[in-house]
Amino acid sequence: MSDVLLVVVDAANVVGSVPDGWWRDRRGAAERLRDRLATEGVPGRDGPVEIVLVVEGAARGVESVPGVRVESAPGSGDDHMVELVAGAGERRVLVVTADRELRRRVAELGAEVAGPRAVRP
């Protein structure tokens, strides 16, 4: 089992948790979140982490940067995140989202869950 924590971030849900005008530029909002994650990581998480930012819809095509791998969901972002968790095997996984149904689905697969405040002030 890898000691590196896999952190899967629901970009749409985290960006949408703060009414700061993100809906006018969804792609830009996802890029700002990506850049903050690349700079600040995941507060309160000691040790190495691998961050995967899952984007969908208008934010598809956001590029990865050092420290954050961006994956554009081919369909449902939730389904893609569940696939990432299912494919992690025995690895420790943290999924960051406020989506109740997604939280339930990934918890059933053994992932830890946290709300948007885990990565966003």
Side-chain angles (χ1 to χ4, degrees):
M1 172 161 49
S2 173
D3 287 341
V4 178
L5 174 67
L6 175 62
V7 179
V8 179
V9 180
D10 181 349
N13 191 269
V14 172
V15 164
S17 70
V18 177
D20 61 1
W22 60 263
W23 52 88
R24 290 188 293 271
D25 181 11
R26 293 170 194 260
R27 183 183 179 102
E31 288 171 340
R32 287 188 296 280
L33 174 59
R34 174 204 61 198
D35 294 346
R36 184 177 324 108
L37 290 168
T39 302
E40 299 173 14
V42 182
R45 295 293 169 163
D46 295 329
V49 297
E50 176 187 353
I51 301 173
V52 178
L53 182 66
V54 176
V55 297
E56 61 187 333
R60 279 191 186 99
V62 169
E63 298 290 327
S64 295
V65 296
V68 179
R69 185 174 86 234
V70 180
E71 292 201 9
S72 294
S76 158
D78 289 4
D79 290 346
H80 190 68
M81 286 179 272
V82 169
E83 289 171 15
L84 287 171
V85 172
E90 296 296 314
R91 190 168 179 194
R92 294 180 310 129
V93 181
L94 168 66
V95 176
V96 179
T97 185
D99 182 300
R100 271 191 250 167
E101 177 62 13
L102 177 58
R103 290 170 74 106
R104 182 193 63 76
R105 291 172 68 190
V106 297
E108 286 177 355
L109 295 171
E112 180 185 348
V113 292
R117 285 191 207 134
V119 296
R120 185 165 190 166

